[in-house]
């Protein structure tokens, strides 16, 4: 048992972030970037949430394993997360797949992505390792989870969130007893088990795991030697530990950082175009469930040096204005109107344009008299004058990526095809 004097446990931990996800359900948004590098919330990238949670929790040793189309992600971390200092016992390691163990050029699974870097973990000698997915939107203090891990004498502690049972078949679902000991772990079950006393709810894994580092390394070596393993935590390592060791569930509600005392726990996968759009637009609510303005739990990111946002022209029909919107630095709204929209850095919206329920990624230029509704516009797109999206479903589906929930994703390649 680790002595109580060792608290807070976060200072003895390393956060190891798995950020190699392809994110194919985000369609063209991940054509040139990994899912953790996708823009979110006006200024941030998705990975900033896991990294900020670790930093705000007091963890000062962080490693990030990258894989799929990692250049944008690595560049973002080099620019925005380069403030860790070795002389303060801090570290930030970026770990691309690099044939360090064998001739295979890729990580074979999430467990292999950690196994291949065991020597780097051991060089930092953390007492605990907190394994994190780098592609979820949430705020969480990892210290209560570490405390539970120690107090329960667990071999692995699994971060879990309650989800409606009818939606749980898309998750890894755990069955627990009244003491939160995990009795079973099933990956995407057809008939998800219900929670004790809550028949309409299931307990889903968040892809967050706490281990004592020495135990984790032992398990990774055992998994690597198993020719029948797919070398994945959710499919192989965790189910085996549930059977052979002490696995405990940690409830997200006990460690989430809420926007207010009455706010529900907030966690989003944003794994599809529709969920990504909805999570961004939700930020325009008067009091959103995810509070990006909380100075006590900031979301750190790379902050470009930009001038303030600017709104110009004040004439009837040509008034630079925004209602219930987030507008980032470097934007110019020139005689155009915005409603329930997010403008990322450096967006230019020209006169007479009308933007409604839109997520506009950095350095987009929207031409005069364009009308855009329920759209996501990818980085750097040039919207031509007079383009109308969101009013003719059949035409939208022909020209752009249109979802079942009527959201249109627009890329520059799609715009270029309009002239052919």
């Amino acid at each position: 048992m680790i002595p109580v004097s060792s608290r807070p446990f976060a200072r003895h931990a390393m956060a190891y972030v798995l950020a190699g996800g392809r994110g194919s359900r985000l369609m063209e948004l991940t054509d040139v970037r990994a899912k953790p590098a996708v823009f979110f919330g006006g200024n941030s990238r998705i990975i900033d949430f896991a990294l900020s949670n670790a930093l705000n929790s007091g963890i000062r040793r962080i490693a990030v394993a990258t894989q799929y189309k990692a250049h944008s992600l690595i560049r973002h971390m080099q620019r925005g997360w380069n403030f860790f200092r070795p002389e303060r016992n801090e570290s930030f390691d970026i770990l691309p797949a690099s044939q360090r163990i064998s001739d295979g050029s890729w990580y074979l699974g999430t467990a292999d992505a950690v196994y291949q870097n065991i020597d780097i973990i051991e060089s930092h000698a953390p007492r605990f390792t907190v394994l994190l997915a780098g592609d979820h939107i949430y705020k969480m203090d990892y210290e209560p989870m570490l405390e539970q891990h120690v107090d329960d004498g667990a071999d692995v502690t699994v971060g879990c969130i309650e989800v409606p049972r009818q939606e749980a078949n898309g998750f890894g679902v755990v069955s627990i007893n009244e003491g939160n000991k995990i009795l079973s772990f099933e990956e995407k079950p057809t008939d998800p088990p219900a929670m004790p006393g809550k028949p309409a709810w299931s307990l889903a894994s968040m892809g967050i795991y706490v281990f004592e580092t020495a135990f984790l390394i032992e398990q990774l070596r055992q998994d690597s030697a198993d020719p029948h393993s797919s070398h994945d935590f959710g499919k192989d390592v965790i189910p085996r530990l549930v059977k052979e060791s002490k696995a405990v569930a940690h409830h997200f509600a006990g460690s989430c950082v809420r926007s207010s005392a009455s706010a529900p726990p907030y966690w989003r996968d944003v794994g599809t175009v529709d969920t990504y759009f909805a999570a961004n637009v939700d930020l325009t609510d008067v009091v959103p469930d995810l509070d990006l303005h909380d100075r006590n739990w900031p979301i750190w990111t790379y902050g470009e040096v930009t001038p303030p946002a600017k709104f110009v022209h004040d004439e009837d029909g040509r008034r630079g204005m925004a209602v219930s919107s987030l507008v980032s630095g470097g934007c110019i709204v020139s005689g155009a109107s915005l409603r329930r929209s997010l403008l990322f850095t450096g967006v230019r919206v020209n006169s007479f344009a009308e933007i409604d329920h839109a997520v506009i990624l950095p350095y987009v230029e929207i031409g005069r008299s364009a009308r855009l509704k329920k759209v996501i516009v990818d980085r750097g797109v040039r919207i031509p004058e007079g383009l109308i999206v969101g009013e003719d479903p059949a035409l939208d589906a022909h020209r752009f990526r249109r979802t079942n929930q009527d959201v249109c994703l627009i890329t520059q390649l799609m715009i270029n095809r309009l002239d052919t």
Side-chain angles (χ1 to χ4, degrees):
M1 179 69 70
I2 296 174
V4 174
S5 59
S6 294
R7 300 171 190 255
F9 296 123
R11 66 185 179 186
H12 306 291
M14 166 180 272
Y16 195 105
V17 184
L18 298 163
R22 183 180 297 267
S24 57
R25 293 181 301 157
L26 284 171
M27 304 302 176
E28 288 80 3
L29 285 174
T30 51
D31 275 355
V32 296
R33 60 182 76 90
K35 181 182 174 185
V38 172
F39 299 94
F40 185 87
N43 290 323
S44 305
R45 309 279 186 126
I46 291 174
I47 196 172
D48 290 326
F49 288 83
L51 297 178
S52 296
N53 287 335
L55 183 65
N56 293 332
S57 297
I59 298 174
R60 292 296 185 269
R61 294 197 180 278
I62 299 176
V64 183
T66 67
Q67 183 149 283
Y68 171 79
K69 294 188 177 179
H71 174 68
S72 176
L73 177 61
I74 291 173
R75 182 176 59 188
H76 170 72
M77 292 188 293
Q78 287 174 333
R79 291 175 173 178
W81 289 89
N82 61 356
F83 50 81
F84 288 80
R85 305 290 297 182
E87 59 268 28
R88 295 196 297 251
N89 293 318
E90 299 173 347
S91 62
F92 191 92
D93 293 296
I94 300 173
L95 307 173
S98 55
Q99 301 183 3
R100 301 182 68 251
I101 299 296
S102 66
D103 291 335
S105 60
W106 295 103
Y107 294 134
L108 301 178
T110 55
D112 186 60
V114 184
Y115 170 75
Q116 288 199 34
N117 296 295
I118 282 177
D119 59 330
I120 293 174
I121 297 172
E122 289 181 322
S123 71
H124 293 304
R127 187 172 298 174
F128 306 99
T129 300
V130 183
L131 295 177
L132 305 171
D135 55 0
H136 298 146
I137 305 296
Y138 66 109
K139 288 186 175 185
M140 179 177 178
D141 186 350
Y142 301 127
E143 178 66 19
M145 187 172 175
L146 285 160
E147 291 177 352
Q148 180 188 345
H149 180 79
V150 174
D151 293 344
D152 287 350
D155 293 309
V156 59
T157 300
V158 181
C160 296
I161 187 169
E162 297 181 15
V163 297
R165 188 177 176 187
Q166 67 269 21
E167 301 174 11
N169 54 10
F171 296 88
V173 179
V174 303
S175 175
I176 61 173
N177 64 18
E178 293 183 355
N180 291 314
K181 185 178 187 299
I182 299 176
L183 306 176
S184 67
F185 184 104
E186 301 177 69
E187 189 75 12
K188 299 181 179 179
T190 55
D191 184 22
M195 294 180 61
K198 292 185 175 181
W201 294 85
S202 293
L203 201 58
S205 169
M206 301 169 66
I208 300 172
Y209 312 113
V210 169
F211 292 89
E212 293 233 15
T213 301
F215 179 81
L216 171 63
I217 290 173
E218 176 186 330
Q219 300 307 310
L220 291 173
R221 286 178 171 147
Q222 180 178 340
D223 176 77
S224 178
D226 182 357
H228 303 294
S229 174
S230 60
H231 310 297
D232 185 85
F233 280 103
K235 295 178 182 177
D236 306 291
V237 177
I238 301 303
R240 177 169 55 79
L241 292 180
V242 168
K243 296 176 182 178
E244 300 175 0
S245 303
K246 185 177 182 180
V248 174
H250 172 79
H251 294 262
F252 177 54
S255 54
C256 64
V257 178
R258 306 170 193 255
S259 60
S260 67
S262 59
Y266 184 96
W267 181 88
R268 297 290 186 274
D269 185 355
V270 296
T272 68
V273 172
D274 284 324
T275 57
Y276 173 79
F277 174 83
N280 273 282
V281 172
D282 284 348
L283 296 172
T284 66
D285 290 345
V286 175
V287 183
D289 288 337
L290 177 67
D291 185 3
L292 296 181
H293 295 84
D294 180 6
R295 298 181 67 180
N296 294 317
W297 201 271
I299 301 302
W300 301 82
T301 190
Y302 167 58
E304 294 187 53
V305 177
T306 63
K310 183 178 181 181
F311 298 78
V312 295
H313 297 304
D314 186 15
E315 308 165 11
D316 289 343
R318 193 190 186 198
R319 180 167 290 114
M321 57 175 287
V323 178
S324 296
S325 297
L326 278 68
V327 181
S328 303
C331 291
I332 300 177
V333 180
S334 176
S337 64
L338 312 176
R339 284 179 172 80
R340 293 296 302 270
S341 297
L342 282 82
L343 301 191
F344 286 69
T345 303
V347 173
R348 175 72 178 262
V349 189
N350 288 294
S351 291
F352 312 110
E354 298 177 16
I355 313 300
D356 187 4
H357 286 73
V359 179
I360 312 296
L361 300 192
Y363 298 105
V364 168
E365 179 161 356
I366 298 173
R368 284 187 164 213
S369 302
R371 297 204 305 269
L372 307 179
K373 184 174 183 179
K374 291 195 73 171
V375 300
I376 302 168
V377 183
D378 200 7
R379 188 185 195 277
V381 171
R382 297 293 179 262
I383 298 293
E385 291 188 14
L387 181 68
I388 299 173
V389 183
E391 298 179 17
D392 185 332
L395 182 60
D396 290 344
H398 176 71
R399 298 187 297 180
F400 307 112
R401 171 77 66 178
R402 185 174 181 273
T403 72
N404 292 332
Q405 297 184 24
D406 305 327
V407 176
C408 283
L409 171 59
I410 302 173
T411 68
Q412 188 61 50
L413 181 59
M414 296 172 190
I415 294 295
N416 294 344
R417 290 172 178 166
L418 295 179
D419 298 327
T420 61

